[in-house]
Amino acid sequence: SRNRQDGEARVLKGQSVSHRDDEIRRLRKRKKKKKKVAKSSKKKASDGPNRQPRPHHKYGVVERPNGTKRPLRPNGDTTETSNEARPNNGNRPNQDNDRPNSILLLEDKDEVEDLSCFTSGMYDELDADIAKISRGISNQKAKSHFLGGIVRLAAHDFMDFDRRSNIKLGPDGCIDDKHPSNAGLETIWCPSCEITKLHEEKYSHISRADYWIAASNAVIRQTSVNNSLDLKREFRWGRKDKEVCRGSGQRLPESTGCDQVEDVFLDRMGLGWKDAVALLGAHTLGRGDNTFSGHHGSWVSERQSQTFDKQYYEDLFIETWRPRNMGTKTQDWTTGAGSDRVMLNTDICLVFDIDSHIEHDTPCCTRTGICPDREASRRKCPMYKGGDSRRQAASAAREMLGGSVQSNNNTPFYDAFARAWGKATTIGRDDLKPLRDRC
């Protein structure tokens, strides 16, 4: 404009080029600032006396960065938290916070507090909500997929952590949904998926990373024997979400063998063999599907695939596993005459030394006496020999049996899983917090 040119001309007169440029930039910045202040004042004046009073709610009002507000609980519900689905056994960790600009306006108060609150009651209520969704799924295979899928979602969020990288990633509410390793998770976390809608409608003040882990804890507790594996004490909250996590899918383990287990759990995450073996025991929940991963079936029997217990390790030792789809990218293991059971190379390798057999497309059976595959029955898959570092994995798998295959002792598995899950879900963070009694 002419006024702008006149002002700049006054600045230019009698000054060096570089100094003139600096003065022009300062002049333009001042004008921008004045416009911004004027615009802000105008908006405040328009809001003035006609401004609507804040709606109040039991937990407060969430004010998003775009200015919209909503109660922390939907439909103005102010009923007390229901703990019917899980007993309240004390306060424990918790964390939230992937909406740094959100604020919590507490009821009957005008002061603004940071929206950094995850209470023991909220944790229990989320547990009850997950149980309600699960009860509403009548198809047993679909229910297995749902339960296992929630745990898999949280696990895939933390398994991309790399302590050696400048971009460490880890549990941040972000997965690469286009990567083949995450195939099938789009049926667990999507706009129309039940747990996604639950988050948006009721728990959006909680970061996705915290929510996924708390939801997984709920599934694990509900499906453990006598609800005895309660991870509430281990839970911490306060993780920040990322909207983009390029390369995270490439860090997830492929199903090729124990080199992948070593690379992801030991080298990148810094865990031990016992931790890795315990975390892989989560395969006892859920099932694979040809449509998604190319690996079809459940790791344990369909009846057992909704129970979080040591059955995974029992079946590793007592079932007769033989290769399937040898020489292809979807090569895995199955047992019996049917095809609705599956183990991956990353499972079988915890006990059996199968690397050379896979590399040379030479099938073997974990038990040769009753192996239905004639070619595979000629060779028994060997155990690890002394001095092999992977014997630590085999020893850990035996420990998870709780003394014997026939025993009902899940304590060694549950204890090892709780420790490993606590490490994995808090990895890379030293600022996470325990659950609060109240906000």
Side-chain angles (χ1 to χ4, degrees), residues 253-402:
E254 297 180 7
S255 60
T256 53
C258 270
D259 60 325
Q260 293 292 302
V261 180
E262 289 173 322
D263 185 41
V264 172
F265 293 103
L266 277 64
D267 297 339
R268 294 183 188 174
M269 295 182 69
L271 303 177
W273 269 116
K274 187 173 180 178
D275 297 322
V277 171
L279 290 172
L280 285 168
H283 278 162
T284 194
L285 279 183
R287 56 183 294 109
D289 194 301
N290 275 329
T291 309
F292 305 129
S293 64
H295 302 290
H296 190 76
S298 54
W299 281 259
V300 297
S301 68
E302 184 177 329
R303 180 178 60 85
Q304 288 286 118
S305 64
Q306 295 176 30
T307 302
F308 196 89
D309 63 4
K310 69 185 180 80
Q311 189 67 46
Y312 167 84
Y313 306 102
E314 293 181 5
D315 286 4
L316 262 177
F317 284 100
I318 66 174
E319 293 285 359
T320 302
W321 297 99
R322 66 184 190 277
R324 178 172 62 179
N325 305 322
M326 202 77 178
T328 69
K329 289 184 178 180
T330 58
Q331 183 268 316
D332 52 29
W333 300 70
T334 193
T335 188
S339 59
D340 206 38
R341 294 291 304 281
V342 69
M343 285 275 179
L344 306 177
N345 290 340
T346 44
D347 301 306
I348 297 293
C349 74
L350 298 179
V351 175
F352 299 95
D353 186 0
I354 57 172
D355 281 1
S356 62
H357 291 274
I358 301 304
E359 183 181 351
H360 299 103
D361 293 337
T362 308
C364 63
C365 266
T366 58
R367 298 178 68 190
T368 53
I370 50 176
C371 184
D373 186 310
R374 181 177 296 181
E375 177 65 21
S377 66
R378 297 176 183 177
R379 309 170 193 86
K380 184 177 180 180
C381 302
M383 298 281 196
Y384 291 109
K385 297 178 181 178
D388 195 317
S389 63
R390 293 181 187 173
R391 287 194 70 182
Q392 296 177 54
S395 296
R398 287 186 181 279
E399 184 181 336
M400 304 300 170
L401 293 175

Side-chain angles (χ1 to χ4, degrees), residues 11-25:
V11 172
L12 287 172
K13 187 175 180 181
Q15 296 181 5
S16 67
V17 174
S18 61
H19 187 65
R20 292 170 189 168
D21 289 345
D22 289 341
E23 289 297 324
I24 289 172
R25 278 193 289 270

Side-chain angles (χ1 to χ4, degrees), residues 212-223:
W212 291 351
I213 292 168
S216 296
N217 288 4
V219 167
I220 291 165
R221 186 197 69 81
Q222 293 162 18
T223 58

Side-chain angles (χ1 to χ4, degrees), residues 202-239:
K202 192 171 182 179
Y203 298 104
S204 62
H205 61 289
I206 299 171
S207 70
R208 289 188 303 274
D210 288 342
Y211 178 78
W212 291 351
I213 292 168
S216 296
N217 288 4
V219 167
I220 291 165
R221 186 197 69 81
Q222 293 162 18
T223 58
S224 63
V225 178
N226 298 322
N227 301 147
S228 56
L229 183 50
D230 193 336
L231 300 168
K232 187 176 183 179
R233 290 180 180 274
E234 287 75 22
F235 181 69
R236 295 291 184 273
W237 64 274
R239 299 164 188 84

